Amino acid sequence: CRGVARGNPVWRRVIGEGAAFAPMEVDGAKPALLVHSALRSELQLLARGTGEILWTRRILHRPVGAPLLHQQRIYLSLDNGTLLEISADDGRIESGLNFPQKVQGPPAISSDGDLMVISGDAMVVYSLKFNPLACTAVTFTEHPAGAVQTSLLAAGKLFILCDNLDSTKCRVRAF
Protein backbone atom coordinates (compact mmCIF):
# COMPACT_ATOMS: atom_id res chain seq x y z
CA CYS A 1 0.00 0.00 0.00
CA ARG A 2 1.50 3.39 -0.96
CA GLY A 3 0.65 7.01 -0.35
CA VAL A 4 1.24 8.92 -3.60
CA ALA A 5 1.60 12.64 -4.24
CA ARG A 6 2.19 13.92 -7.80
CA GLY A 7 3.10 10.40 -8.90
CA ASN A 8 5.82 9.96 -6.25
CA PRO A 9 5.49 7.64 -3.25
CA VAL A 10 5.35 9.51 0.07
CA TRP A 11 5.01 6.40 2.22
CA ARG A 12 4.85 2.63 1.84
CA ARG A 13 3.29 -0.09 4.00
CA VAL A 14 3.64 -3.83 3.25
CA ILE A 15 0.30 -5.63 3.67
CA GLY A 16 1.04 -8.80 1.68
CA GLU A 17 -0.59 -10.33 -1.36
CA GLY A 18 -4.24 -11.27 -1.53
CA ALA A 19 -5.85 -8.44 0.45
CA ALA A 20 -9.62 -9.02 0.64
CA PHE A 21 -10.42 -5.44 -0.43
CA ALA A 22 -8.77 -2.30 -1.81
CA PRO A 23 -7.78 0.40 0.71
CA MET A 24 -10.82 2.42 1.81
CA GLU A 25 -10.90 6.04 2.94
CA VAL A 26 -12.14 6.61 6.49
CA ASP A 27 -12.98 10.13 7.62
CA GLY A 28 -12.52 10.52 11.33
CA ALA A 29 -10.37 12.59 13.67
CA LYS A 30 -7.51 11.97 11.20
CA PRO A 31 -7.99 11.24 7.48
CA ALA A 32 -7.14 7.55 7.17
CA LEU A 33 -7.15 4.42 5.02
CA LEU A 34 -8.56 1.08 6.14
CA VAL A 35 -6.59 -1.89 4.76
CA HIS A 36 -6.67 -5.65 5.12
CA SER A 37 -3.23 -7.10 5.74
CA ALA A 38 -3.32 -10.65 4.44
CA LEU A 39 0.27 -10.98 5.63
CA ARG A 40 -0.68 -10.42 9.28
CA SER A 41 -4.40 -11.43 9.21
CA GLU A 42 -5.51 -8.05 10.50
CA LEU A 43 -7.27 -4.83 9.69
CA GLN A 44 -5.10 -1.73 9.88
CA LEU A 45 -6.12 1.90 9.96
CA LEU A 46 -3.35 3.99 8.41
CA ALA A 47 -2.91 7.77 8.55
CA ARG A 48 -3.53 8.90 4.99
CA GLY A 49 -0.67 11.41 4.91
CA THR A 50 2.08 9.34 6.55
CA GLY A 51 1.08 5.66 6.45
CA GLU A 52 1.48 5.51 10.24
CA ILE A 53 -0.54 2.71 11.82
CA LEU A 54 -3.30 4.27 13.93
CA TRP A 55 -4.67 0.91 15.10
CA THR A 56 -4.72 -2.78 14.21
CA ARG A 57 -7.36 -5.43 14.76
CA ARG A 58 -6.43 -9.08 14.35
CA ILE A 59 -9.09 -11.10 12.54
CA LEU A 60 -8.96 -14.87 12.47
CA HIS A 61 -11.09 -15.39 9.35
CA ARG A 62 -10.86 -13.85 5.89
CA PRO A 63 -13.09 -10.88 5.07
CA VAL A 64 -15.76 -11.42 2.40
CA GLY A 65 -15.44 -8.33 0.24
CA ALA A 66 -15.05 -4.75 1.36
CA PRO A 67 -16.50 -3.61 4.68
CA LEU A 68 -19.37 -1.18 5.07
CA LEU A 69 -18.49 2.13 6.77
CA HIS A 70 -21.43 3.76 8.55
CA GLN A 71 -21.51 6.29 11.43
CA GLN A 72 -17.89 5.67 12.51
CA ARG A 73 -18.50 1.92 12.51
CA ILE A 74 -16.98 -0.72 10.25
CA TYR A 75 -19.23 -3.68 9.39
CA LEU A 76 -17.04 -6.56 8.21
CA SER A 77 -18.33 -9.93 6.91
CA LEU A 78 -16.03 -12.91 7.45
CA ASP A 79 -15.89 -16.21 5.60
CA ASN A 80 -17.06 -18.16 8.67
CA GLY A 81 -20.52 -16.49 8.68
CA THR A 82 -19.67 -13.72 11.17
CA LEU A 83 -20.48 -10.03 10.81
CA LEU A 84 -18.33 -7.79 13.02
CA GLU A 85 -19.11 -4.24 14.11
CA ILE A 86 -15.80 -2.44 14.71
CA SER A 87 -15.21 1.10 15.97
CA ALA A 88 -13.45 3.17 13.29
CA ASP A 89 -11.98 5.33 16.07
CA ASP A 90 -9.93 2.69 17.87
CA GLY A 91 -10.47 -0.72 16.18
CA ARG A 92 -12.38 -2.14 19.14
CA ILE A 93 -14.93 -4.84 18.28
CA GLU A 94 -18.24 -3.38 19.45
CA SER A 95 -20.35 -6.45 18.66
CA GLY A 96 -20.85 -9.25 16.20
CA LEU A 97 -23.38 -11.66 14.82
CA ASN A 98 -22.80 -15.32 13.97
CA PHE A 99 -25.05 -16.63 11.21
CA PRO A 100 -25.79 -20.33 10.63
CA GLN A 101 -24.23 -20.03 7.16
CA LYS A 102 -21.74 -17.88 5.26
CA VAL A 103 -22.94 -14.38 4.36
CA GLN A 104 -22.23 -12.32 1.26
CA GLY A 105 -20.97 -8.97 2.51
CA PRO A 106 -20.98 -6.14 2.98
CA PRO A 107 -24.50 -5.38 4.17
CA ALA A 108 -26.61 -2.79 2.34
CA ILE A 109 -28.22 0.08 4.28
CA SER A 110 -31.81 1.23 3.81
CA SER A 111 -32.37 4.73 2.43
CA ASP A 112 -33.46 5.99 5.87
CA GLY A 113 -30.33 4.50 7.51
CA ASP A 114 -32.32 2.48 10.06
CA LEU A 115 -31.78 -1.04 8.71
CA MET A 116 -29.17 -3.23 7.02
CA VAL A 117 -29.68 -6.37 4.98
CA ILE A 118 -27.19 -9.08 4.08
CA SER A 119 -27.58 -12.20 1.97
CA GLY A 120 -26.95 -15.64 3.33
CA ASP A 121 -25.08 -18.11 1.12
CA ALA A 122 -28.30 -20.01 0.48
CA MET A 123 -32.05 -19.40 0.62
CA VAL A 124 -32.31 -16.32 2.88
CA VAL A 125 -31.63 -12.63 3.42
CA TYR A 126 -31.11 -11.33 6.97
CA SER A 127 -32.49 -7.95 8.13
CA LEU A 128 -30.38 -6.27 10.82
CA LYS A 129 -30.75 -3.30 13.12
CA PHE A 130 -28.18 -1.01 14.70
CA ASN A 131 -27.58 -0.17 18.38
CA PRO A 132 -27.35 -2.91 19.39
CA LEU A 133 -26.52 -4.91 16.28
CA ALA A 134 -29.17 -7.62 15.98
CA CYS A 135 -30.97 -9.75 13.42
CA THR A 136 -34.63 -8.70 13.26
CA ALA A 137 -35.95 -10.84 10.39
CA VAL A 138 -35.06 -13.65 8.02
CA THR A 139 -36.60 -13.54 4.53
CA PHE A 140 -36.83 -16.71 2.44
CA THR A 141 -35.55 -15.93 -1.07
CA GLU A 142 -34.97 -19.41 -2.53
CA HIS A 143 -31.54 -18.66 -3.99
CA PRO A 144 -29.31 -21.75 -4.22
CA ALA A 145 -26.03 -22.03 -2.33
CA GLY A 146 -23.29 -19.95 -3.95
CA ALA A 147 -25.67 -18.23 -6.39
CA VAL A 148 -25.27 -14.75 -4.87
CA GLN A 149 -21.82 -13.47 -5.77
CA THR A 150 -22.31 -9.79 -5.00
CA SER A 151 -23.71 -7.75 -2.14
CA LEU A 152 -27.28 -6.57 -2.07
CA LEU A 153 -27.84 -3.08 -3.45
CA ALA A 154 -30.03 -0.45 -1.79
CA ALA A 155 -32.30 1.33 -4.29
CA GLY A 156 -34.51 3.85 -2.52
CA LYS A 157 -36.89 1.89 -0.31
CA LEU A 158 -36.01 -1.40 -2.03
CA PHE A 159 -33.09 -3.81 -2.00
CA ILE A 160 -31.86 -5.53 -5.17
CA LEU A 161 -30.66 -9.15 -5.07
CA CYS A 162 -28.93 -10.78 -8.06
CA ASP A 163 -28.46 -14.52 -8.13
CA ASN A 164 -26.93 -16.71 -10.82
CA LEU A 165 -29.13 -19.74 -11.30
CA ASP A 166 -26.60 -21.33 -13.68
CA SER A 167 -24.00 -20.13 -16.19
CA THR A 168 -26.69 -18.79 -18.56
CA LYS A 169 -29.31 -17.33 -16.23
CA CYS A 170 -29.28 -14.46 -13.74
CA ARG A 171 -32.30 -13.49 -11.67
CA VAL A 172 -32.65 -9.90 -10.42
CA ARG A 173 -35.18 -9.32 -7.65
CA ALA A 174 -36.31 -6.31 -5.67
CA PHE A 175 -37.84 -6.57 -2.22
PDB file of all heavy atoms in Angstrom, residues 92-117:
ATOM      1  N   ARG A  92     -11.755  -1.243  18.166  1.00  0.00           N
ATOM      2  CA  ARG A  92     -12.383  -2.142  19.141  1.00  0.00           C
ATOM      3  C   ARG A  92     -13.601  -2.824  18.509  1.00  0.00           C
ATOM      4  O   ARG A  92     -14.392  -2.199  17.817  1.00  0.00           O
ATOM      5  CB  ARG A  92     -12.802  -1.330  20.364  1.00  0.00           C
ATOM      6  CG  ARG A  92     -13.389  -2.153  21.497  1.00  0.00           C
ATOM      7  CD  ARG A  92     -13.801  -1.293  22.677  1.00  0.00           C
ATOM      8  NE  ARG A  92     -14.858  -0.371  22.283  1.00  0.00           N
ATOM      9  CZ  ARG A  92     -14.775   0.955  22.377  1.00  0.00           C
ATOM     10  NH1 ARG A  92     -13.712   1.530  22.874  1.00  0.00           N
ATOM     11  NH2 ARG A  92     -15.776   1.711  21.986  1.00  0.00           N
ATOM     12  N   ILE A  93     -13.731  -4.123  18.745  1.00  0.00           N
ATOM     13  CA  ILE A  93     -14.926  -4.838  18.284  1.00  0.00           C
ATOM     14  C   ILE A  93     -16.066  -4.471  19.212  1.00  0.00           C
ATOM     15  O   ILE A  93     -16.016  -4.749  20.405  1.00  0.00           O
ATOM     16  CB  ILE A  93     -14.693  -6.360  18.246  1.00  0.00           C
ATOM     17  CG1 ILE A  93     -13.631  -6.704  17.200  1.00  0.00           C
ATOM     18  CG2 ILE A  93     -16.008  -7.095  17.947  1.00  0.00           C
ATOM     19  CD1 ILE A  93     -13.252  -8.165  17.139  1.00  0.00           C
ATOM     20  N   GLU A  94     -17.080  -3.816  18.665  1.00  0.00           N
ATOM     21  CA  GLU A  94     -18.241  -3.376  19.446  1.00  0.00           C
ATOM     22  C   GLU A  94     -19.220  -4.529  19.647  1.00  0.00           C
ATOM     23  O   GLU A  94     -19.790  -4.683  20.715  1.00  0.00           O
ATOM     24  CB  GLU A  94     -18.939  -2.214  18.746  1.00  0.00           C
ATOM     25  CG  GLU A  94     -18.078  -0.976  18.575  1.00  0.00           C
ATOM     26  CD  GLU A  94     -17.838  -0.238  19.873  1.00  0.00           C
ATOM     27  OE1 GLU A  94     -18.602  -0.425  20.839  1.00  0.00           O
ATOM     28  OE2 GLU A  94     -16.861   0.528  19.928  1.00  0.00           O
ATOM     29  N   SER A  95     -19.449  -5.292  18.577  1.00  0.00           N
ATOM     30  CA  SER A  95     -20.349  -6.445  18.661  1.00  0.00           C
ATOM     31  C   SER A  95     -20.179  -7.282  17.407  1.00  0.00           C
ATOM     32  O   SER A  95     -19.413  -6.935  16.510  1.00  0.00           O
ATOM     33  CB  SER A  95     -21.811  -6.008  18.834  1.00  0.00           C
ATOM     34  OG  SER A  95     -22.258  -5.325  17.680  1.00  0.00           O
ATOM     35  N   GLY A  96     -20.905  -8.372  17.357  1.00  0.00           N
ATOM     36  CA  GLY A  96     -20.847  -9.247  16.200  1.00  0.00           C
ATOM     37  C   GLY A  96     -22.038 -10.176  16.175  1.00  0.00           C
ATOM     38  O   GLY A  96     -22.691 -10.385  17.192  1.00  0.00           O
ATOM     39  N   LEU A  97     -22.315 -10.684  15.000  1.00  0.00           N
ATOM     40  CA  LEU A  97     -23.383 -11.662  14.823  1.00  0.00           C
ATOM     41  C   LEU A  97     -22.795 -12.891  14.145  1.00  0.00           C
ATOM     42  O   LEU A  97     -22.000 -12.764  13.215  1.00  0.00           O
ATOM     43  CB  LEU A  97     -24.505 -11.101  13.941  1.00  0.00           C
ATOM     44  CG  LEU A  97     -25.327  -9.944  14.491  1.00  0.00           C
ATOM     45  CD1 LEU A  97     -26.292  -9.441  13.423  1.00  0.00           C
ATOM     46  CD2 LEU A  97     -26.086 -10.375  15.726  1.00  0.00           C
ATOM     47  N   ASN A  98     -23.196 -14.064  14.608  1.00  0.00           N
ATOM     48  CA  ASN A  98     -22.798 -15.322  13.973  1.00  0.00           C
ATOM     49  C   ASN A  98     -24.022 -15.907  13.289  1.00  0.00           C
ATOM     50  O   ASN A  98     -25.025 -16.185  13.956  1.00  0.00           O
ATOM     51  CB  ASN A  98     -22.248 -16.300  15.005  1.00  0.00           C
ATOM     52  CG  ASN A  98     -20.958 -15.808  15.610  1.00  0.00           C
ATOM     53  OD1 ASN A  98     -20.066 -15.389  14.902  1.00  0.00           O
ATOM     54  ND2 ASN A  98     -20.874 -15.852  16.925  1.00  0.00           N
ATOM     55  N   PHE A  99     -23.933 -16.079  11.988  1.00  0.00           N
ATOM     56  CA  PHE A  99     -25.046 -16.628  11.214  1.00  0.00           C
ATOM     57  C   PHE A  99     -24.846 -18.133  11.040  1.00  0.00           C
ATOM     58  O   PHE A  99     -23.718 -18.620  11.108  1.00  0.00           O
ATOM     59  CB  PHE A  99     -25.124 -15.935   9.850  1.00  0.00           C
ATOM     60  CG  PHE A  99     -25.431 -14.467   9.963  1.00  0.00           C
ATOM     61  CD1 PHE A  99     -24.403 -13.538   9.971  1.00  0.00           C
ATOM     62  CD2 PHE A  99     -26.731 -14.022  10.073  1.00  0.00           C
ATOM     63  CE1 PHE A  99     -24.672 -12.182  10.080  1.00  0.00           C
ATOM     64  CE2 PHE A  99     -27.018 -12.670  10.187  1.00  0.00           C
ATOM     65  CZ  PHE A  99     -25.984 -11.752  10.195  1.00  0.00           C
ATOM     66  N   PRO A 100     -25.912 -18.885  10.779  1.00  0.00           N
ATOM     67  CA  PRO A 100     -25.791 -20.333  10.627  1.00  0.00           C
ATOM     68  C   PRO A 100     -25.195 -20.747   9.276  1.00  0.00           C
ATOM     69  O   PRO A 100     -25.103 -21.931   8.980  1.00  0.00           O
ATOM     70  CB  PRO A 100     -27.235 -20.829  10.773  1.00  0.00           C
ATOM     71  CG  PRO A 100     -28.066 -19.678  10.367  1.00  0.00           C
ATOM     72  CD  PRO A 100     -27.312 -18.454  10.780  1.00  0.00           C
ATOM     73  N   GLN A 101     -24.835 -19.774   8.456  1.00  0.00           N
ATOM     74  CA  GLN A 101     -24.229 -20.029   7.158  1.00  0.00           C
ATOM     75  C   GLN A 101     -23.328 -18.854   6.799  1.00  0.00           C
ATOM     76  O   GLN A 101     -23.348 -17.824   7.482  1.00  0.00           O
ATOM     77  CB  GLN A 101     -25.301 -20.220   6.091  1.00  0.00           C
ATOM     78  CG  GLN A 101     -26.178 -18.981   5.892  1.00  0.00           C
ATOM     79  CD  GLN A 101     -27.193 -19.167   4.789  1.00  0.00           C
ATOM     80  OE1 GLN A 101     -26.864 -19.649   3.704  1.00  0.00           O
ATOM     81  NE2 GLN A 101     -28.440 -18.799   5.067  1.00  0.00           N
ATOM     82  N   LYS A 102     -22.552 -18.995   5.736  1.00  0.00           N
ATOM     83  CA  LYS A 102     -21.741 -17.878   5.262  1.00  0.00           C
ATOM     84  C   LYS A 102     -22.662 -16.766   4.792  1.00  0.00           C
ATOM     85  O   LYS A 102     -23.800 -17.020   4.375  1.00  0.00           O
ATOM     86  CB  LYS A 102     -20.836 -18.323   4.114  1.00  0.00           C
ATOM     87  CG  LYS A 102     -19.754 -19.281   4.549  1.00  0.00           C
ATOM     88  CD  LYS A 102     -18.891 -19.674   3.375  1.00  0.00           C
ATOM     89  CE  LYS A 102     -17.826 -20.664   3.817  1.00  0.00           C
ATOM     90  NZ  LYS A 102     -16.976 -21.082   2.701  1.00  0.00           N
ATOM     91  N   VAL A 103     -22.180 -15.531   4.860  1.00  0.00           N
ATOM     92  CA  VAL A 103     -22.936 -14.382   4.363  1.00  0.00           C
ATOM     93  C   VAL A 103     -22.130 -13.698   3.269  1.00  0.00           C
ATOM     94  O   VAL A 103     -20.908 -13.774   3.238  1.00  0.00           O
ATOM     95  CB  VAL A 103     -23.302 -13.386   5.485  1.00  0.00           C
ATOM     96  CG1 VAL A 103     -24.342 -13.978   6.406  1.00  0.00           C
ATOM     97  CG2 VAL A 103     -22.084 -12.947   6.269  1.00  0.00           C
ATOM     98  N   GLN A 104     -22.857 -13.039   2.369  1.00  0.00           N
ATOM     99  CA  GLN A 104     -22.232 -12.322   1.263  1.00  0.00           C
ATOM    100  C   GLN A 104     -22.208 -10.846   1.616  1.00  0.00           C
ATOM    101  O   GLN A 104     -23.213 -10.182   1.576  1.00  0.00           O
ATOM    102  CB  GLN A 104     -23.012 -12.557  -0.033  1.00  0.00           C
ATOM    103  CG  GLN A 104     -22.416 -11.901  -1.242  1.00  0.00           C
ATOM    104  CD  GLN A 104     -21.031 -12.427  -1.571  1.00  0.00           C
ATOM    105  OE1 GLN A 104     -20.799 -13.624  -1.541  1.00  0.00           O
ATOM    106  NE2 GLN A 104     -20.120 -11.541  -1.862  1.00  0.00           N
ATOM    107  N   GLY A 105     -21.058 -10.345   2.030  1.00  0.00           N
ATOM    108  CA  GLY A 105     -20.972  -8.967   2.513  1.00  0.00           C
ATOM    109  C   GLY A 105     -20.463  -8.030   1.459  1.00  0.00           C
ATOM    110  O   GLY A 105     -20.052  -8.449   0.400  1.00  0.00           O
ATOM    111  N   PRO A 106     -20.506  -6.754   1.759  1.00  0.00           N
ATOM    112  CA  PRO A 106     -20.980  -6.141   2.984  1.00  0.00           C
ATOM    113  C   PRO A 106     -22.497  -5.989   2.976  1.00  0.00           C
ATOM    114  O   PRO A 106     -23.132  -6.155   1.940  1.00  0.00           O
ATOM    115  CB  PRO A 106     -20.312  -4.755   2.950  1.00  0.00           C
ATOM    116  CG  PRO A 106     -20.237  -4.423   1.504  1.00  0.00           C
ATOM    117  CD  PRO A 106     -19.964  -5.750   0.820  1.00  0.00           C
ATOM    118  N   PRO A 107     -23.056  -5.635   4.136  1.00  0.00           N
ATOM    119  CA  PRO A 107     -24.502  -5.381   4.166  1.00  0.00           C
ATOM    120  C   PRO A 107     -24.847  -4.126   3.365  1.00  0.00           C
ATOM    121  O   PRO A 107     -23.979  -3.286   3.114  1.00  0.00           O
ATOM    122  CB  PRO A 107     -24.807  -5.137   5.647  1.00  0.00           C
ATOM    123  CG  PRO A 107     -23.558  -5.404   6.385  1.00  0.00           C
ATOM    124  CD  PRO A 107     -22.439  -5.472   5.429  1.00  0.00           C
ATOM    125  N   ALA A 108     -26.093  -4.012   2.973  1.00  0.00           N
ATOM    126  CA  ALA A 108     -26.608  -2.792   2.337  1.00  0.00           C
ATOM    127  C   ALA A 108     -27.469  -2.073   3.369  1.00  0.00           C
ATOM    128  O   ALA A 108     -28.126  -2.710   4.190  1.00  0.00           O
ATOM    129  CB  ALA A 108     -27.432  -3.148   1.108  1.00  0.00           C
ATOM    130  N   ILE A 109     -27.457  -0.743   3.315  1.00  0.00           N
ATOM    131  CA  ILE A 109     -28.216   0.078   4.277  1.00  0.00           C
ATOM    132  C   ILE A 109     -29.450   0.651   3.603  1.00  0.00           C
ATOM    133  O   ILE A 109     -29.390   1.106   2.454  1.00  0.00           O
ATOM    134  CB  ILE A 109     -27.355   1.232   4.815  1.00  0.00           C
ATOM    135  CG1 ILE A 109     -26.152   0.679   5.546  1.00  0.00           C
ATOM    136  CG2 ILE A 109     -28.148   2.145   5.722  1.00  0.00           C
ATOM    137  CD1 ILE A 109     -25.233   1.746   6.087  1.00  0.00           C
ATOM    138  N   SER A 110     -30.565   0.647   4.318  1.00  0.00           N
ATOM    139  CA  SER A 110     -31.809   1.228   3.807  1.00  0.00           C
ATOM    140  C   SER A 110     -31.627   2.734   3.598  1.00  0.00           C
ATOM    141  O   SER A 110     -30.750   3.357   4.191  1.00  0.00           O
ATOM    142  CB  SER A 110     -32.963   0.967   4.771  1.00  0.00           C
ATOM    143  OG  SER A 110     -32.723   1.596   6.014  1.00  0.00           O
ATOM    144  N   SER A 111     -32.480   3.309   2.753  1.00  0.00           N
ATOM    145  CA  SER A 111     -32.365   4.732   2.435  1.00  0.00           C
ATOM    146  C   SER A 111     -32.539   5.624   3.660  1.00  0.00           C
ATOM    147  O   SER A 111     -31.961   6.705   3.725  1.00  0.00           O
ATOM    148  CB  SER A 111     -33.375   5.122   1.349  1.00  0.00           C
ATOM    149  OG  SER A 111     -34.690   4.838   1.779  1.00  0.00           O
ATOM    150  N   ASP A 112     -33.284   5.181   4.664  1.00  0.00           N
ATOM    151  CA  ASP A 112     -33.457   5.989   5.875  1.00  0.00           C
ATOM    152  C   ASP A 112     -32.351   5.730   6.903  1.00  0.00           C
ATOM    153  O   ASP A 112     -32.304   6.364   7.956  1.00  0.00           O
ATOM    154  CB  ASP A 112     -34.839   5.771   6.494  1.00  0.00           C
ATOM    155  CG  ASP A 112     -35.089   4.340   6.920  1.00  0.00           C
ATOM    156  OD1 ASP A 112     -34.148   3.509   6.906  1.00  0.00           O
ATOM    157  OD2 ASP A 112     -36.245   4.037   7.260  1.00  0.00           O
ATOM    158  N   GLY A 113     -31.461   4.773   6.625  1.00  0.00           N
ATOM    159  CA  GLY A 113     -30.331   4.497   7.510  1.00  0.00           C
ATOM    160  C   GLY A 113     -30.670   3.723   8.765  1.00  0.00           C
ATOM    161  O   GLY A 113     -29.828   3.581   9.651  1.00  0.00           O
ATOM    162  N   ASP A 114     -31.888   3.174   8.841  1.00  0.00           N
ATOM    163  CA  ASP A 114     -32.316   2.477  10.058  1.00  0.00           C
ATOM    164  C   ASP A 114     -32.098   0.972  10.029  1.00  0.00           C
ATOM    165  O   ASP A 114     -32.232   0.312  11.055  1.00  0.00           O
ATOM    166  CB  ASP A 114     -33.809   2.739  10.314  1.00  0.00           C
ATOM    167  CG  ASP A 114     -34.078   4.161  10.739  1.00  0.00           C
ATOM    168  OD1 ASP A 114     -33.139   4.847  11.174  1.00  0.00           O
ATOM    169  OD2 ASP A 114     -35.245   4.587  10.630  1.00  0.00           O
ATOM    170  N   LEU A 115     -31.780   0.409   8.871  1.00  0.00           N
ATOM    171  CA  LEU A 115     -31.779  -1.040   8.713  1.00  0.00           C
ATOM    172  C   LEU A 115     -30.695  -1.454   7.735  1.00  0.00           C
ATOM    173  O   LEU A 115     -30.372  -0.715   6.802  1.00  0.00           O
ATOM    174  CB  LEU A 115     -33.166  -1.431   8.211  1.00  0.00           C
ATOM    175  CG  LEU A 115     -33.446  -2.656   7.408  1.00  0.00           C
ATOM    176  CD1 LEU A 115     -33.530  -3.857   8.318  1.00  0.00           C
ATOM    177  CD2 LEU A 115     -34.777  -2.480   6.702  1.00  0.00           C
ATOM    178  N   MET A 116     -30.110  -2.625   7.966  1.00  0.00           N
ATOM    179  CA  MET A 116     -29.171  -3.232   7.024  1.00  0.00           C
ATOM    180  C   MET A 116     -29.738  -4.575   6.606  1.00  0.00           C
ATOM    181  O   MET A 116     -30.464  -5.208   7.372  1.00  0.00           O
ATOM    182  CB  MET A 116     -27.816  -3.508   7.687  1.00  0.00           C
ATOM    183  CG  MET A 116     -27.001  -2.319   8.045  1.00  0.00           C
ATOM    184  SD  MET A 116     -25.342  -2.776   8.618  1.00  0.00           S
ATOM    185  CE  MET A 116     -25.670  -3.623  10.152  1.00  0.00           C
ATOM    186  N   VAL A 117     -29.356  -5.018   5.414  1.00  0.00           N
ATOM    187  CA  VAL A 117     -29.675  -6.373   4.975  1.00  0.00           C
ATOM    188  C   VAL A 117     -28.414  -7.012   4.420  1.00  0.00           C
ATOM    189  O   VAL A 117     -27.548  -6.339   3.868  1.00  0.00           O
ATOM    190  CB  VAL A 117     -30.815  -6.427   3.925  1.00  0.00           C
ATOM    191  CG1 VAL A 117     -32.125  -5.948   4.518  1.00  0.00           C
ATOM    192  CG2 VAL A 117     -30.464  -5.643   2.690  1.00  0.00           C
TER     193      VAL A 117
END
